[in-house]
Amino acid sequence: MSHNRAAQESDVTNAYDFVVFGGEYSIFNAALITLDAIITGGNVSANYLQTEMAKFGINLATAMADAIPPVNPTTEPLYVDKFVF
């Protein structure tokens, strides 16, 4: 697997007709979640996760509606995966 982000994204967009990329996260995010769990019981992380999920959902719905032809999730398969670099 390529470690070149541009090449990896190109491979994915060439393999599928419709692609929506989500947020980017690192080991730093995992450390912050751990600290938040210790300090606030995870309240900040839960709020962050809800916000990220809402943003991704809005971006996905907008991209599906703007696609030509529009994506119909009731008749077309949708796949979810992740990049690891």
Side-chain angles (χ1 to χ4, degrees), residues 21-67:
F21 294 104
E24 296 184 18
Y25 311 98
S26 69
I27 192 71
F28 181 69
N29 293 96
L32 288 176
I33 289 169
T34 303
L35 285 173
D36 176 49
I38 294 168
I39 296 169
T40 71
N43 293 330
V44 174
S45 296
N47 186 33
Y48 178 77
L49 180 60
Q50 289 174 340
T51 302
E52 287 296 297
M53 294 292 288
K55 283 194 292 187
F56 179 74
I58 291 168
N59 290 345
L60 177 61
T62 301
M64 288 171 68
D66 291 345

